[in-house]
DNA sequence: TTGTAGGCGTTATCAG
DNA sequence: CTGATAACGCCTACAA
């Protein structure tokens, strides 16, 4: 494999000139530039990105940390990220956190290493020590589906979304509404998710009582939804509506409800969250979340920060919209 | 940020010694090793991977090229890859090919650059020029869901799978079976997919006629499946079974069939492919493909090749199994 | 406009 | 066991 030096020698010029042709090519006469380019082609020269990264102190690599690549939510976010990255030269390395030990491996200060020009973190709460390090190293980072006092972030306006859902359900005569949510951060400190607080606020605004027994945090999977709904039906058999924190949980919950011989939506209405592709085919009412747009936006913010246009630790909130479908139909007029 | 040099100075040793401690730490006395490690901790030293990569001529980065991250098939494959990578220090960079221009950007010899210790390519046919380059550079590569004379690969035994499906359908009295497939390589040369040839062989073995009008290649999406089935029903209204090349296409196809007032499975049976998570909840009969295992296996092969245990251009074939569900029920006895 | 020298942070070689 | 010293391939002044 040939290097910049080979090209220089072959073309009878100095290394500096070749390098200049490589980047922008300013201050090089057309004649020599052509000669050099021709030589590069002839030698099948390709620049070594690693060497370039070392010299420039910038790797052209972005890192994204997600909890479970398997969920369509993250897949869509990733797609948004790729959209934003397509016109650039950045490569994307993905780190998945599926177990507590992954979390340690990725966020742990221990043997953490240097590279990446910026980081995107989805649905995960980075430990303070990690944030400290980021800030100290000057590595920009953006949170997706989360918030942090020292980092910029993008997220969903869950308060508004849940207001829509609760309004819709009450309008169609439901009064005992349950929430089966996923954790904001599956490995983070257990605390009320953003959806959960939105749910409470919405109930409150609607003048409805809050019953902690009607709020469950379940695994982010169909099984998680199913188990949760069973538990729910044992504790509160009289519920007439379920809101899930994700579509896949809603799907499992509906399955569980039907397995008990109850009808959806007649006995119990069900609403999902995110609006993944199959929701439509399952006739699942759900909250449509602009997953892709969020990924794209987060990436734009990150790129801007890398370019030096550091944003403050602002939060970009995306509006979500209820999509009414068969599992939670509109009130009969 | 501190470098190996800072550590050496602070610890009062030469760089070489620090480097040795970093890697394995052989030939270093316990005393100095401890002192150096203590110093590294105190200085919060973290090795610069870029510099290391340049020096070692190995980046510890693997690259995976997939057509559409959005499809659960690829997501599962990715998960398998991550499983195999978890115990290693390799990072994974993902390249998505969604449009013809992406393909050019990634496979094009033009401005292609150097790095990555190995490449995984899913459902895509790399151009010969690219393979030439790989071999010339000595970069190992493994194909997933594809085959190539000069590269090792992993795939599904579609012949066997389709034999199972056709057998099942004919056993339940279906005789006019159609195939709505996805392209093997959405951007590659149009040619019969592996499923398609398996389908023909299976029909043949069952003594059934082959009707090209009953074989369609459609977009890898629910809409693709739906449009295809509409076209199919126009051309051949008498079909009584549809096999799809993916579950998501099957879902769309079923939707299209029902939209025409036909019943699934009474009028037309439907079978998907892959067995994605929601298939069960849609009661979709489908071919269960070990997507995760394929990803894992491909990665293991790749890692072995990187370690120097170069495999020949062998092909690892994974068995798939029909899962009978409501959209293509067992024959009534 | 062009060439040269130094440096980016590690690893590897080779004397001591 | 340890410490210089030369790569690794490229970029960026700085000088010509």
């Amino acid at each position: 494999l040939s290097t910049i030096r080979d090209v220089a020698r072959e073309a009878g010029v100095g290394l500096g000139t070749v390098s200049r042709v490589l980047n922008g090519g300013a201050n090089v006469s057309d004649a020599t530039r052509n000669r050099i380019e021709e030589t590069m082609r002839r030698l099948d020269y390709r620049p070594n990105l690693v060497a370039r990264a070392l010299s420039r102190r910038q790797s052209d690599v972005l890192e994204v940390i997600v909890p479970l690549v398997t969920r369509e939510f993250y897949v869509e976010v990733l797609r948004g990220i790729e959209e934003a990255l397509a016109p650039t030269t950045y490569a994307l390395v993905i780190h998945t956190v599926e177990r507590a030990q992954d979390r340690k491996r990725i966020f742990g200060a221990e043997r953490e290493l240097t590279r990446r020009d910026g980081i995107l973190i989805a649905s995960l709460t980075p430990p303070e020590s990690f944030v400290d390090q980021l800030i100290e190293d000057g590595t920009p980072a953006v949170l997706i589906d989360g918030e942090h006092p020292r980092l910029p972030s993008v997220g969903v306006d869950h308060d508004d979304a849940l207001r829509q859902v609760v309004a819709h359900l009450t309008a169609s005569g439901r009064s005992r509404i349950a929430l089966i949510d996923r954790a904001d951060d599956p490995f983070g400190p257990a605390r009320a998710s953003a959806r959960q607080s939105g749910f409470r606020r919405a109930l409150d605004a609607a003048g409805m009582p809050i019953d902690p027994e009607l709020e469950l945090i379940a695994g982010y999977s169909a099984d998680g939804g199913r188990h949760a709904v069973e538990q729910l039906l044992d504790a509160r058999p009289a519920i007439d509506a379920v809101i899930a924190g994700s579509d896949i949980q809603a799907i499992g919950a509906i399955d569980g409800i039907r397995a008990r011989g109850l009808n959806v939506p007649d006995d119990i209405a069900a609403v999902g969250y995110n609006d993944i592709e199959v929701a439509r085919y399952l006739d699942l009412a759900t909250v449509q979340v602009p997953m892709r747009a969020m990924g794209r936006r987060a990436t734009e913010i990150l790129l801007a920060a890398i370019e030096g246009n550091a944003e403050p630790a602002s939060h970009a909130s995306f509006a979500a919209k209820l999509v009414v479908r068969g599992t939670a139909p509109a009130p009969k007029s």
Side-chain angles (χ1 to χ4, degrees), chain A:
Chain A
L1 225 42
S2 51
T3 76
I4 206 179
R5 202 180 324 270
D6 301 323
V7 176
R9 184 171 19 76
E10 281 291 311
V13 302
L15 315 202
T17 310
V18 179
S19 178
R20 253 166 259 138
V21 170
L22 242 32
N23 320 290
N27 289 29
V28 178
S29 75
D30 283 357
T32 56
R33 183 209 323 284
N34 287 147
R35 187 149 39 87
I36 291 175
E37 284 177 340
E38 201 279 317
T39 311
M40 297 200 297
R41 224 169 298 124
R42 187 157 55 74
L43 264 46
D44 188 30
Y45 166 79
R46 281 162 296 153
N48 180 322
L49 290 194
V50 174
R52 171 178 295 174
L54 178 60
S55 186
R56 280 205 190 137
R57 236 160 314 230
Q58 138 172 7
S59 61
D60 263 39
V61 168
L62 258 34
E63 204 169 298
V64 53
I65 303 175
V66 293
L68 300 151
V69 260
T70 309
R71 302 282 59 127
E72 190 163 333
F73 178 85
Y74 301 109
V75 172
E76 284 295 319
V77 167
L78 282 178
R79 230 180 156 181
I81 294 172
E82 299 234 317
E83 283 176 13
L85 252 32
T88 76
T89 60
Y90 284 99
L92 186 67
V93 355
I94 301 193
H95 276 122
T96 308
V97 177
E98 298 214 344
R99 301 157 302 181
Q101 76 194 79
D102 296 329
R103 187 192 173 76
K104 215 167 135 196
R105 190 161 59 101
I106 290 172
F107 288 134
E110 310 149 5
R111 48 188 301 284
E112 199 54 13
L113 319 158
T114 317
R115 66 178 151 195
R116 66 222 185 330
D117 297 341
I119 305 189
L120 258 8
I121 303 172
S123 302
L124 251 20
T125 313
E128 286 308 305
S129 58
F130 187 77
V131 178
D132 288 342
Q133 209 174 86
L134 250 35
I135 290 178
E136 192 185 321
D137 298 357
T139 306
V142 178
L143 255 43
I144 300 173
D145 184 35
E147 274 191 78
H148 187 101
R150 293 190 283 162
L151 263 21
S153 55
V154 308
V156 177
D157 187 345
H158 296 294
D159 279 15
D160 179 60
L162 279 144
R163 202 174 305 126
Q164 293 176 51
V165 177
V166 169
H168 173 73
L169 290 173
T170 54
S172 42
R174 316 284 174 169
S175 59
R176 302 187 58 91
I177 307 173
L179 175 73
I180 295 178
D181 203 4
R182 63 182 173 94
D184 262 1
D185 176 349
F187 305 102
R191 58 154 185 258
S193 78
R195 279 172 300 276
Q196 201 169 347
S197 17
F199 179 58
R200 292 186 177 190
R201 271 191 272 275
L203 288 183
D204 205 52
M208 297 170 71
I210 288 170
D211 177 357
E213 292 279 331
L214 292 184
E215 297 170 9
L216 273 71
I217 300 293
Y220 192 173
S221 67
D223 273 349
R226 178 169 177 148
H227 290 144
V229 86
E230 283 167 354
Q231 191 178 329
L232 201 54
L233 289 171
D234 288 339
R236 293 285 188 277
I239 57 168
D240 55 16
V242 172
I243 303 172
S246 64
D247 291 326
I248 195 74
Q249 289 175 300
I251 291 169
I254 290 172
D255 202 52
I257 293 169
R258 291 185 172 147
R260 294 253 175 148
L262 295 169
N263 180 282
V264 175
D266 293 345
D267 298 318
I268 302 180
V271 177
Y273 220 96
N274 290 342
D275 194 26
I276 64 177
E277 186 176 12
V278 294
R280 197 188 124 197
Y281 297 94
L282 285 157
D283 207 19
L284 176 67
T286 187
V287 173
Q288 190 169 70
V289 173
M291 308 175 272
R292 204 119 123 213
M294 287 168 59
R296 188 163 351 104
R297 181 62 173 287
T299 308
E300 288 163 0
I301 294 174
L302 184 63
L303 291 178
I306 292 176
E307 304 295 317
N309 314 355
E311 299 240 341
S314 61
H315 180 76
S317 183
F318 280 74
K321 183 171 110 273
L322 173 66
V323 180
V324 176
R325 296 205 186 96
T327 59
K332 316 168 196 167
S333 53

